[in-house]
Amino acid sequence: MVQEAVARGRAKAPTIYDVAALAGVSHQTVSRYLKDGKGLKPGTLERVEKALSELRYTPNLAARSLRSRKLYRVVVVVPEASLYFPARMLNGAAGAAHARGYRVDVVAMEGTAQARALQLERLLTGEDIAGILSFVPRPKATAATGTATVPMVVAGEYDNKMRARGSLADGTAVHSIIRELAALGHTNFFHVAGPAAWPAARNRKAVYQEAIAALGLTSLGMAAGDWSPASGYAAGKKIAALNGVTAVFAANDQMAFGVIRALHDQGIRVPVDVSVFGWDDVPEGSYFIPSLSTVHMDVEALGARSMRELIARIHGEEPPQDAAALPLMELVLRESTGPAAPRQLKPA
Amino acid sequence: MVQEAVARGRAKAPTIYDVAALAGVSHQTVSRYLKDGKGLKPGTLERVEKALSELRYTPNLAARSLRSRKLYRVVVVVPEASLYFPARMLNGAAGAAHARGYRVDVVAMEGTAQARALQLERLLTGEDIAGILSFVPRPKATAATGTATVPMVVAGEYDNKMRARGSLADGTAVHSIIRELAALGHTNFFHVAGPAAWPAARNRKAVYQEAIAALGLTSLGMAAGDWSPASGYAAGKKIAALNGVTAVFAANDQMAFGVIRALHDQGIRVPVDVSVFGWDDVPEGSYFIPSLSTVHMDVEALGARSMRELIARIHGEEPPQDAAALPLMELVLRESTGPAAPRQLKPA
DNA sequence: GGAGTTATTGTGAGCGCTAACAAGACGCTG
DNA sequence: CAGCGTCTTGTTAGCGCTCACAATAACTCC
């Protein structure tokens, strides 16, 4: 039943033989040109180029892959219920892959940790993929079995030293957040963390604790969220019940929204009574009431970088060191942060 | 430089010849089993099955594709700056494709309409893809050139009769929205539309006008947005300047957020003075202040459906008719909608 | 029971490409 | 100018699979 798709009048694509005939060379010369274009006489090179463009030749990747036993397909794993997964990150990754001649297949990780591990296992043993880029943390089960047959990069994990600069899990901006809030007179903090399985969540939390300690401030507690606004809301209720918190740092914007809403529902004003900081700079953040102070991330660049890291690994190269180069994160101050509650301010 | 990737100790995958040898049949028998398993003696079938699972055989898709000239790769086109493109839709599409044995490649449409058209052109003439599923409206330029070589489905476009039920562009829920608002006493409406290039935007707008007329209400105007909250904000300022609007329907949640914020900034209260309706039910909607009334969509199902439509077309089959079956959209009433402004209500 | 049918299995070729090797063209030395 | 290395190009084979066809086995019928 698939035949029709083929039959559908698509003209037969030109092969390197067609190109070779037109250029008056052997097919191998064409193949060589396609490979790197080296070691060909300028004249030959030119004729091949001409024939190539004249026939609008495009290589048949299936044939190439079959013969060379190289693979041109990478799998990107995204969270299944990816309500909070930025599509732009995927775009960045896909773009980087395409730039290197790779095809991208997207699979969503579904189900329980166990089901995910199984799914991953199957991918890893699959024979026809060049590598895996996962935006989902690796299930523990899989991390154990060291039979890594397929190169795999888990975004944010590969440079697991805390606060790896410029990576997805880079938590350095947390320092700036805390310092900023401290400068506004805040001393009593609260952190709404993401799921511990995610390196980014772990790093933000770690840096939070570090910064609090370093600046001699107090953390009145932390809540474990799941990136969702609902979990932020739950944390917000906890914060309201607590006494004295004036500054909250949530590990992503969604949870920050939940926190603000919970505080609002409890009659606590943001930022008058409590300041709230998010992370991600989702577009609606500036239209929220109050608009949300956050950390802007270049998610596209981050996705692309993760992909480049994977491809480097596939090729056995050194990972590209463009990492620390670009400033990928930036504090955005908006209405949700303000001076600490008046009782701590002296009148002029 | 790619050699390492291959060398990396991955054992050579078993071929159908290995399987055939083990089962004591010819390779063709194995191939036949793989195709549909029909016309084989029960005994043979069993032996092949056993050999297959014993060797953990997985077919080499490159070889299959090369020989059969069938393709197993579909391309999904997503908007480049897809801040508002739900990743779940992609997941749904990818899942549906995988279920039918297809690989999914994601490309982001970038740049101007012209650049996009070119990009698309290249995809369409590319020889190694089975079909294209686009979540981005087709540029006019391309729509013109009827040389459709590759099957292509533009989500929401294929059933371009307005209000195609259950499709991405299904605007029927707009009727319910207007009816709901009318029941609350609203008579003066405003619509913030999406870009006209998008079928979904066109349909929502069309149904809006239709419903207004059918119910004998008044539309005080429409604004052309671009799905972004910023464009919603601009529309909101316009609405504030206008006099008498009490109900706003925005074509997506993001724009609704912008509208609400603009009204808020102009001292207009939502929902006391003006009611606002969105569309999409993004997760933060219920935590916005005020929480947003909207239309819930099962984006995952919608994505999957579009993909099934594409695959059916690739196979030359009839498109699956599961469309109208599921109720994919549902009104969600929250705080942003309320009774029309008091001056229009009679005291009890 | 032999001819004619029909189910079931086997054989050879080739999809488009690249790897490996072979061969020709060219330039240099002695 | 024979002899040798180097640069450039050509020839052959085969990746794993499916197609088209050939061959056999298993039935049917008179």
PDB file of all heavy atoms in Angstrom, chain A residues 5 73 80 91 98 103-106 261 284 288 300 315 335, chain B residues 1 73 80 91 98 103-106 128 261 284 288 300 314 335:
ATOM      1  N   ALA A   5       2.839   6.010  -2.912  1.00  0.00           N
ATOM      2  CA  ALA A   5       3.657   7.150  -2.503  1.00  0.00           C
ATOM      3  C   ALA A   5       4.869   7.266  -3.412  1.00  0.00           C
ATOM      4  O   ALA A   5       5.327   8.352  -3.733  1.00  0.00           O
ATOM      5  CB  ALA A   5       4.107   6.963  -1.058  1.00  0.00           C
ATOM      6  N   ARG A  73      21.503   9.815  11.818  1.00  0.00           N
ATOM      7  CA  ARG A  73      20.271  10.082  12.522  1.00  0.00           C
ATOM      8  C   ARG A  73      20.536  10.152  14.011  1.00  0.00           C
ATOM      9  O   ARG A  73      21.116   9.243  14.588  1.00  0.00           O
ATOM     10  CB  ARG A  73      19.299   8.941  12.224  1.00  0.00           C
ATOM     11  CG  ARG A  73      17.943   9.151  12.770  1.00  0.00           C
ATOM     12  CD  ARG A  73      17.016   8.064  12.263  1.00  0.00           C
ATOM     13  NE  ARG A  73      15.994   7.848  13.238  1.00  0.00           N
ATOM     14  CZ  ARG A  73      15.905   6.783  14.016  1.00  0.00           C
ATOM     15  NH1 ARG A  73      16.759   5.802  13.908  1.00  0.00           N
ATOM     16  NH2 ARG A  73      14.959   6.692  14.887  1.00  0.00           N
ATOM     17  N   GLU A  80       7.746  13.943  27.982  1.00  0.00           N
ATOM     18  CA  GLU A  80       6.454  13.631  27.380  1.00  0.00           C
ATOM     19  C   GLU A  80       5.440  14.740  27.621  1.00  0.00           C
ATOM     20  O   GLU A  80       4.948  15.366  26.709  1.00  0.00           O
ATOM     21  CB  GLU A  80       5.936  12.305  27.957  1.00  0.00           C
ATOM     22  CG  GLU A  80       4.945  11.623  27.062  1.00  0.00           C
ATOM     23  CD  GLU A  80       3.528  11.985  27.393  1.00  0.00           C
ATOM     24  OE1 GLU A  80       3.223  12.100  28.593  1.00  0.00           O
ATOM     25  OE2 GLU A  80       2.738  12.149  26.462  1.00  0.00           O
ATOM     26  N   ASN A  91      14.337  23.356  18.557  1.00  0.00           N
ATOM     27  CA  ASN A  91      14.696  23.972  17.281  1.00  0.00           C
ATOM     28  C   ASN A  91      16.196  24.209  17.201  1.00  0.00           C
ATOM     29  O   ASN A  91      16.817  23.956  16.172  1.00  0.00           O
ATOM     30  CB  ASN A  91      13.976  25.307  17.109  1.00  0.00           C
ATOM     31  CG  ASN A  91      12.502  25.117  16.883  1.00  0.00           C
ATOM     32  OD1 ASN A  91      12.042  23.992  16.758  1.00  0.00           O
ATOM     33  ND2 ASN A  91      11.769  26.210  16.835  1.00  0.00           N
ATOM     34  N   HIS A  98      21.226  19.564  11.788  1.00  0.00           N
ATOM     35  CA  HIS A  98      21.114  19.690  10.340  1.00  0.00           C
ATOM     36  C   HIS A  98      22.367  20.303   9.747  1.00  0.00           C
ATOM     37  O   HIS A  98      22.829  19.913   8.677  1.00  0.00           O
ATOM     38  CB  HIS A  98      19.885  20.524   9.976  1.00  0.00           C
ATOM     39  CG  HIS A  98      18.608  19.827  10.283  1.00  0.00           C
ATOM     40  ND1 HIS A  98      17.450  20.481  10.643  1.00  0.00           N
ATOM     41  CD2 HIS A  98      18.289  18.512  10.295  1.00  0.00           C
ATOM     42  CE1 HIS A  98      16.494  19.605  10.856  1.00  0.00           C
ATOM     43  NE2 HIS A  98      16.973  18.405  10.657  1.00  0.00           N
ATOM     44  N   ARG A 103      20.152  13.939  10.641  1.00  0.00           N
ATOM     45  CA  ARG A 103      18.702  13.972  10.719  1.00  0.00           C
ATOM     46  C   ARG A 103      18.317  13.840  12.173  1.00  0.00           C
ATOM     47  O   ARG A 103      19.008  13.184  12.945  1.00  0.00           O
ATOM     48  CB  ARG A 103      18.106  12.803   9.929  1.00  0.00           C
ATOM     49  CG  ARG A 103      18.441  12.878   8.469  1.00  0.00           C
ATOM     50  CD  ARG A 103      17.673  14.037   7.892  1.00  0.00           C
ATOM     51  NE  ARG A 103      18.281  14.640   6.719  1.00  0.00           N
ATOM     52  CZ  ARG A 103      18.305  14.093   5.523  1.00  0.00           C
ATOM     53  NH1 ARG A 103      17.815  12.904   5.343  1.00  0.00           N
ATOM     54  NH2 ARG A 103      18.818  14.730   4.515  1.00  0.00           N
ATOM     55  N   VAL A 104      17.200  14.411  12.505  1.00  0.00           N
ATOM     56  CA  VAL A 104      16.785  14.419  13.898  1.00  0.00           C
ATOM     57  C   VAL A 104      15.472  13.674  14.041  1.00  0.00           C
ATOM     58  O   VAL A 104      14.533  13.912  13.285  1.00  0.00           O
ATOM     59  CB  VAL A 104      16.557  15.861  14.392  1.00  0.00           C
ATOM     60  CG1 VAL A 104      16.070  15.857  15.822  1.00  0.00           C
ATOM     61  CG2 VAL A 104      17.823  16.666  14.258  1.00  0.00           C
ATOM     62  N   ASP A 105      15.443  12.761  14.945  1.00  0.00           N
ATOM     63  CA  ASP A 105      14.168  12.135  15.244  1.00  0.00           C
ATOM     64  C   ASP A 105      13.795  12.509  16.668  1.00  0.00           C
ATOM     65  O   ASP A 105      14.637  12.514  17.551  1.00  0.00           O
ATOM     66  CB  ASP A 105      14.260  10.622  15.090  1.00  0.00           C
ATOM     67  CG  ASP A 105      12.893   9.993  14.940  1.00  0.00           C
ATOM     68  OD1 ASP A 105      11.885  10.710  15.098  1.00  0.00           O
ATOM     69  OD2 ASP A 105      12.819   8.800  14.679  1.00  0.00           O
ATOM     70  N   VAL A 106      12.553  12.838  16.846  1.00  0.00           N
ATOM     71  CA  VAL A 106      12.109  13.265  18.161  1.00  0.00           C
ATOM     72  C   VAL A 106      11.291  12.161  18.796  1.00  0.00           C
ATOM     73  O   VAL A 106      10.367  11.649  18.188  1.00  0.00           O
ATOM     74  CB  VAL A 106      11.218  14.516  18.056  1.00  0.00           C
ATOM     75  CG1 VAL A 106      10.758  14.942  19.430  1.00  0.00           C
ATOM     76  CG2 VAL A 106      11.965  15.630  17.366  1.00  0.00           C
ATOM     77  N   ARG A 261       0.480  33.567  42.714  1.00  0.00           N
ATOM     78  CA  ARG A 261      -0.970  33.396  42.808  1.00  0.00           C
ATOM     79  C   ARG A 261      -1.381  32.928  44.203  1.00  0.00           C
ATOM     80  O   ARG A 261      -2.365  33.409  44.778  1.00  0.00           O
ATOM     81  CB  ARG A 261      -1.436  32.375  41.762  1.00  0.00           C
ATOM     82  CG  ARG A 261      -2.905  32.024  41.815  1.00  0.00           C
ATOM     83  CD  ARG A 261      -3.745  33.175  41.282  1.00  0.00           C
ATOM     84  NE  ARG A 261      -5.077  33.169  41.833  1.00  0.00           N
ATOM     85  CZ  ARG A 261      -6.159  33.602  41.169  1.00  0.00           C
ATOM     86  NH1 ARG A 261      -6.060  34.087  39.948  1.00  0.00           N
ATOM     87  NH2 ARG A 261      -7.328  33.575  41.742  1.00  0.00           N
ATOM     88  N   GLU A 284       5.145  35.303  28.582  1.00  0.00           N
ATOM     89  CA  GLU A 284       4.027  35.921  29.286  1.00  0.00           C
ATOM     90  C   GLU A 284       4.447  36.562  30.602  1.00  0.00           C
ATOM     91  O   GLU A 284       3.667  37.283  31.213  1.00  0.00           O
ATOM     92  CB  GLU A 284       2.896  34.914  29.513  1.00  0.00           C
ATOM     93  CG  GLU A 284       3.298  33.619  30.186  1.00  0.00           C
ATOM     94  CD  GLU A 284       3.713  32.577  29.162  1.00  0.00           C
ATOM     95  OE1 GLU A 284       4.332  32.977  28.142  1.00  0.00           O
ATOM     96  OE2 GLU A 284       3.444  31.396  29.368  1.00  0.00           O
ATOM     97  N   PHE A 288       2.313  39.239  33.183  1.00  0.00           N
ATOM     98  CA  PHE A 288       1.707  38.784  34.421  1.00  0.00           C
ATOM     99  C   PHE A 288       1.500  40.007  35.316  1.00  0.00           C
ATOM    100  O   PHE A 288       2.151  41.032  35.143  1.00  0.00           O
ATOM    101  CB  PHE A 288       2.659  37.785  35.100  1.00  0.00           C
ATOM    102  CG  PHE A 288       1.986  36.812  36.009  1.00  0.00           C
ATOM    103  CD1 PHE A 288       1.326  35.704  35.493  1.00  0.00           C
ATOM    104  CD2 PHE A 288       2.015  36.983  37.385  1.00  0.00           C
ATOM    105  CE1 PHE A 288       0.709  34.794  36.337  1.00  0.00           C
ATOM    106  CE2 PHE A 288       1.391  36.082  38.231  1.00  0.00           C
ATOM    107  CZ  PHE A 288       0.736  34.978  37.708  1.00  0.00           C
ATOM    108  N   GLU A 300      17.559  28.534  22.643  1.00  0.00           N
ATOM    109  CA  GLU A 300      17.921  28.032  21.330  1.00  0.00           C
ATOM    110  C   GLU A 300      19.418  27.720  21.277  1.00  0.00           C
ATOM    111  O   GLU A 300      19.834  26.660  20.832  1.00  0.00           O
ATOM    112  CB  GLU A 300      17.556  29.077  20.270  1.00  0.00           C
ATOM    113  CG  GLU A 300      17.263  28.483  18.949  1.00  0.00           C
ATOM    114  CD  GLU A 300      16.257  29.328  18.185  1.00  0.00           C
ATOM    115  OE1 GLU A 300      15.516  30.100  18.831  1.00  0.00           O
ATOM    116  OE2 GLU A 300      16.216  29.199  16.962  1.00  0.00           O
ATOM    117  N   HIS A 315      31.670  11.871  16.875  1.00  0.00           N
ATOM    118  CA  HIS A 315      32.844  11.853  16.024  1.00  0.00           C
ATOM    119  C   HIS A 315      34.130  11.590  16.799  1.00  0.00           C
ATOM    120  O   HIS A 315      35.204  11.564  16.219  1.00  0.00           O
ATOM    121  CB  HIS A 315      32.986  13.195  15.299  1.00  0.00           C
ATOM    122  CG  HIS A 315      31.924  13.426  14.287  1.00  0.00           C
ATOM    123  ND1 HIS A 315      32.036  14.330  13.275  1.00  0.00           N
ATOM    124  CD2 HIS A 315      30.734  12.833  14.101  1.00  0.00           C
ATOM    125  CE1 HIS A 315      30.942  14.301  12.534  1.00  0.00           C
ATOM    126  NE2 HIS A 315      30.137  13.416  13.025  1.00  0.00           N
ATOM    127  N   GLU A 335       8.405  43.772  37.925  1.00  0.00           N
ATOM    128  CA  GLU A 335       7.648  44.241  39.096  1.00  0.00           C
ATOM    129  C   GLU A 335       7.637  43.299  40.294  1.00  0.00           C
ATOM    130  O   GLU A 335       7.368  43.728  41.414  1.00  0.00           O
ATOM    131  CB  GLU A 335       6.182  44.492  38.686  1.00  0.00           C
ATOM    132  CG  GLU A 335       6.008  45.580  37.647  1.00  0.00           C
ATOM    133  CD  GLU A 335       4.623  45.534  37.016  1.00  0.00           C
ATOM    134  OE1 GLU A 335       3.847  44.614  37.339  1.00  0.00           O
ATOM    135  OE2 GLU A 335       4.323  46.424  36.193  1.00  0.00           O
TER     136      GLU A 335
ATOM    137  N   MET B   1      36.882  11.013  10.165  1.00  0.00           N
ATOM    138  CA  MET B   1      36.687  11.327  11.574  1.00  0.00           C
ATOM    139  C   MET B   1      35.454  10.704  12.157  1.00  0.00           C
ATOM    140  O   MET B   1      35.264  10.638  13.354  1.00  0.00           O
ATOM    141  CB  MET B   1      36.609  12.828  11.781  1.00  0.00           C
ATOM    142  CG  MET B   1      35.395  13.444  11.125  1.00  0.00           C
ATOM    143  SD  MET B   1      35.767  14.998  10.373  1.00  0.00           S
ATOM    144  CE  MET B   1      34.664  16.164  10.760  1.00  0.00           C
ATOM    145  N   ARG B  73      10.675   8.613   6.383  1.00  0.00           N
ATOM    146  CA  ARG B  73      11.004   9.814   7.125  1.00  0.00           C
ATOM    147  C   ARG B  73      10.015  10.900   6.765  1.00  0.00           C
ATOM    148  O   ARG B  73       9.831  11.212   5.587  1.00  0.00           O
ATOM    149  CB  ARG B  73      12.420  10.219   6.739  1.00  0.00           C
ATOM    150  CG  ARG B  73      12.936  11.380   7.502  1.00  0.00           C
ATOM    151  CD  ARG B  73      14.392  11.594   7.200  1.00  0.00           C
ATOM    152  NE  ARG B  73      14.687  12.990   7.374  1.00  0.00           N
ATOM    153  CZ  ARG B  73      14.915  13.833   6.374  1.00  0.00           C
ATOM    154  NH1 ARG B  73      14.919  13.424   5.123  1.00  0.00           N
ATOM    155  NH2 ARG B  73      15.145  15.092   6.626  1.00  0.00           N
ATOM    156  N   GLU B  80       9.463  28.901  13.639  1.00  0.00           N
ATOM    157  CA  GLU B  80      10.808  29.109  14.148  1.00  0.00           C
ATOM    158  C   GLU B  80      10.794  29.699  15.549  1.00  0.00           C
ATOM    159  O   GLU B  80      11.276  29.102  16.484  1.00  0.00           O
ATOM    160  CB  GLU B  80      11.555  30.046  13.195  1.00  0.00           C
ATOM    161  CG  GLU B  80      13.057  29.913  13.298  1.00  0.00           C
ATOM    162  CD  GLU B  80      13.649  30.897  14.268  1.00  0.00           C
ATOM    163  OE1 GLU B  80      13.185  32.035  14.286  1.00  0.00           O
ATOM    164  OE2 GLU B  80      14.569  30.507  14.985  1.00  0.00           O
ATOM    165  N   ASN B  91       4.816  16.223  20.042  1.00  0.00           N
ATOM    166  CA  ASN B  91       4.888  14.887  20.618  1.00  0.00           C
ATOM    167  C   ASN B  91       3.792  13.995  20.074  1.00  0.00           C
ATOM    168  O   ASN B  91       4.023  12.838  19.739  1.00  0.00           O
ATOM    169  CB  ASN B  91       4.753  14.955  22.139  1.00  0.00           C
ATOM    170  CG  ASN B  91       5.980  15.548  22.782  1.00  0.00           C
ATOM    171  OD1 ASN B  91       6.963  15.838  22.094  1.00  0.00           O
ATOM    172  ND2 ASN B  91       5.931  15.735  24.078  1.00  0.00           N
ATOM    173  N   HIS B  98       5.617   7.378  14.661  1.00  0.00           N
ATOM    174  CA  HIS B  98       6.363   6.198  15.096  1.00  0.00           C
ATOM    175  C   HIS B  98       5.485   4.963  15.075  1.00  0.00           C
ATOM    176  O   HIS B  98       5.933   3.882  14.719  1.00  0.00           O
ATOM    177  CB  HIS B  98       6.934   6.431  16.498  1.00  0.00           C
ATOM    178  CG  HIS B  98       8.025   7.444  16.521  1.00  0.00           C
ATOM    179  ND1 HIS B  98       8.253   8.265  17.594  1.00  0.00           N
ATOM    180  CD2 HIS B  98       8.939   7.796  15.589  1.00  0.00           C
ATOM    181  CE1 HIS B  98       9.278   9.065  17.319  1.00  0.00           C
ATOM    182  NE2 HIS B  98       9.706   8.804  16.111  1.00  0.00           N
ATOM    183  N   ARG B 103       9.958   7.805  10.747  1.00  0.00           N
ATOM    184  CA  ARG B 103      10.854   8.634  11.520  1.00  0.00           C
ATOM    185  C   ARG B 103      10.420  10.078  11.357  1.00  0.00           C
ATOM    186  O   ARG B 103       9.912  10.454  10.305  1.00  0.00           O
ATOM    187  CB  ARG B 103      12.288   8.481  11.009  1.00  0.00           C
ATOM    188  CG  ARG B 103      12.780   7.066  11.133  1.00  0.00           C
ATOM    189  CD  ARG B 103      13.002   6.792  12.603  1.00  0.00           C
ATOM    190  NE  ARG B 103      12.952   5.385  12.938  1.00  0.00           N
ATOM    191  CZ  ARG B 103      13.872   4.504  12.605  1.00  0.00           C
ATOM    192  NH1 ARG B 103      14.895   4.855  11.880  1.00  0.00           N
ATOM    193  NH2 ARG B 103      13.781   3.269  12.994  1.00  0.00           N
ATOM    194  N   VAL B 104      10.672  10.846  12.373  1.00  0.00           N
ATOM    195  CA  VAL B 104      10.232  12.238  12.330  1.00  0.00           C
ATOM    196  C   VAL B 104      11.424  13.168  12.381  1.00  0.00           C
ATOM    197  O   VAL B 104      12.266  13.037  13.253  1.00  0.00           O
ATOM    198  CB  VAL B 104       9.324  12.544  13.539  1.00  0.00           C
ATOM    199  CG1 VAL B 104       8.926  13.995  13.529  1.00  0.00           C
ATOM    200  CG2 VAL B 104       8.128  11.633  13.528  1.00  0.00           C
ATOM    201  N   ASP B 105      11.508  14.028  11.450  1.00  0.00           N
ATOM    202  CA  ASP B 105      12.546  15.039  11.516  1.00  0.00           C
ATOM    203  C   ASP B 105      11.879  16.393  11.694  1.00  0.00           C
ATOM    204  O   ASP B 105      10.857  16.674  11.079  1.00  0.00           O
ATOM    205  CB  ASP B 105      13.389  15.020  10.240  1.00  0.00           C
ATOM    206  CG  ASP B 105      14.759  15.651  10.472  1.00  0.00           C
ATOM    207  OD1 ASP B 105      14.959  16.257  11.524  1.00  0.00           O
ATOM    208  OD2 ASP B 105      15.610  15.526   9.569  1.00  0.00           O
ATOM    209  N   VAL B 106      12.461  17.184  12.534  1.00  0.00           N
ATOM    210  CA  VAL B 106      11.876  18.487  12.825  1.00  0.00           C
ATOM    211  C   VAL B 106      12.696  19.576  12.170  1.00  0.00           C
ATOM    212  O   VAL B 106      13.907  19.614  12.324  1.00  0.00           O
ATOM    213  CB  VAL B 106      11.860  18.749  14.348  1.00  0.00           C
ATOM    214  CG1 VAL B 106      11.262  20.101  14.641  1.00  0.00           C
ATOM    215  CG2 VAL B 106      11.090  17.654  15.037  1.00  0.00           C
ATOM    216  N   ASP B 128      14.270  12.531  -0.372  1.00  0.00           N
ATOM    217  CA  ASP B 128      14.331  11.474   0.628  1.00  0.00           C
ATOM    218  C   ASP B 128      13.362  11.644   1.787  1.00  0.00           C
ATOM    219  O   ASP B 128      13.600  11.174   2.872  1.00  0.00           O
ATOM    220  CB  ASP B 128      15.753  11.324   1.151  1.00  0.00           C
ATOM    221  CG  ASP B 128      16.217  12.576   1.866  1.00  0.00           C
ATOM    222  OD1 ASP B 128      15.579  13.623   1.688  1.00  0.00           O
ATOM    223  OD2 ASP B 128      17.202  12.494   2.596  1.00  0.00           O
ATOM    224  N   ARG B 261      -3.416  42.639  30.760  1.00  0.00           N
ATOM    225  CA  ARG B 261      -2.399  43.507  31.328  1.00  0.00           C
ATOM    226  C   ARG B 261      -2.581  44.965  30.875  1.00  0.00           C
ATOM    227  O   ARG B 261      -2.468  45.895  31.671  1.00  0.00           O
ATOM    228  CB  ARG B 261      -1.015  43.000  30.915  1.00  0.00           C
ATOM    229  CG  ARG B 261       0.136  43.852  31.365  1.00  0.00           C
ATOM    230  CD  ARG B 261       0.368  43.734  32.861  1.00  0.00           C
ATOM    231  NE  ARG B 261       1.023  44.904  33.401  1.00  0.00           N
ATOM    232  CZ  ARG B 261       1.868  44.873  34.444  1.00  0.00           C
ATOM    233  NH1 ARG B 261       2.124  43.741  35.059  1.00  0.00           N
ATOM    234  NH2 ARG B 261       2.407  45.971  34.890  1.00  0.00           N
ATOM    235  N   GLU B 284      -0.352  28.077  32.645  1.00  0.00           N
ATOM    236  CA  GLU B 284      -0.291  29.182  33.607  1.00  0.00           C
ATOM    237  C   GLU B 284      -1.577  29.991  33.664  1.00  0.00           C
ATOM    238  O   GLU B 284      -1.742  30.819  34.542  1.00  0.00           O
ATOM    239  CB  GLU B 284       0.910  30.092  33.310  1.00  0.00           C
ATOM    240  CG  GLU B 284       0.985  30.602  31.885  1.00  0.00           C
ATOM    241  CD  GLU B 284       1.775  29.652  30.998  1.00  0.00           C
ATOM    242  OE1 GLU B 284       1.658  28.419  31.202  1.00  0.00           O
ATOM    243  OE2 GLU B 284       2.483  30.121  30.100  1.00  0.00           O
ATOM    244  N   PHE B 288      -2.842  32.953  36.483  1.00  0.00           N
ATOM    245  CA  PHE B 288      -2.837  34.369  36.167  1.00  0.00           C
ATOM    246  C   PHE B 288      -3.799  35.086  37.107  1.00  0.00           C
ATOM    247  O   PHE B 288      -4.708  34.474  37.663  1.00  0.00           O
ATOM    248  CB  PHE B 288      -3.295  34.554  34.714  1.00  0.00           C
ATOM    249  CG  PHE B 288      -2.770  35.807  34.050  1.00  0.00           C
ATOM    250  CD1 PHE B 288      -1.468  35.880  33.570  1.00  0.00           C
ATOM    251  CD2 PHE B 288      -3.593  36.919  33.891  1.00  0.00           C
ATOM    252  CE1 PHE B 288      -0.994  37.024  32.957  1.00  0.00           C
ATOM    253  CE2 PHE B 288      -3.117  38.076  33.276  1.00  0.00           C
ATOM    254  CZ  PHE B 288      -1.816  38.118  32.808  1.00  0.00           C
ATOM    255  N   GLU B 300      -2.204  17.309  21.937  1.00  0.00           N
ATOM    256  CA  GLU B 300      -1.511  16.082  21.594  1.00  0.00           C
ATOM    257  C   GLU B 300      -2.338  15.288  20.576  1.00  0.00           C
ATOM    258  O   GLU B 300      -1.823  14.816  19.561  1.00  0.00           O
ATOM    259  CB  GLU B 300      -1.301  15.251  22.857  1.00  0.00           C
ATOM    260  CG  GLU B 300      -0.104  14.390  22.780  1.00  0.00           C
ATOM    261  CD  GLU B 300       0.511  14.157  24.149  1.00  0.00           C
ATOM    262  OE1 GLU B 300       0.267  14.977  25.059  1.00  0.00           O
ATOM    263  OE2 GLU B 300       1.219  13.161  24.291  1.00  0.00           O
ATOM    264  N   ILE B 314       0.089   9.825   2.343  1.00  0.00           N
ATOM    265  CA  ILE B 314       1.291   9.199   1.784  1.00  0.00           C
ATOM    266  C   ILE B 314       0.945   7.840   1.183  1.00  0.00           C
ATOM    267  O   ILE B 314       1.397   7.484   0.109  1.00  0.00           O
ATOM    268  CB  ILE B 314       2.378   9.030   2.875  1.00  0.00           C
ATOM    269  CG1 ILE B 314       2.951  10.384   3.272  1.00  0.00           C
ATOM    270  CG2 ILE B 314       3.484   8.104   2.392  1.00  0.00           C
ATOM    271  CD1 ILE B 314       3.875  10.337   4.471  1.00  0.00           C
ATOM    272  N   GLU B 335     -11.795  33.177  36.226  1.00  0.00           N
ATOM    273  CA  GLU B 335     -12.120  34.490  36.781  1.00  0.00           C
ATOM    274  C   GLU B 335     -12.217  35.622  35.769  1.00  0.00           C
ATOM    275  O   GLU B 335     -12.846  36.640  36.038  1.00  0.00           O
ATOM    276  CB  GLU B 335     -11.055  34.891  37.819  1.00  0.00           C
ATOM    277  CG  GLU B 335     -10.986  33.992  39.033  1.00  0.00           C
ATOM    278  CD  GLU B 335      -9.698  34.204  39.815  1.00  0.00           C
ATOM    279  OE1 GLU B 335      -8.857  35.008  39.399  1.00  0.00           O
ATOM    280  OE2 GLU B 335      -9.539  33.537  40.860  1.00  0.00           O
TER     281      GLU B 335
END
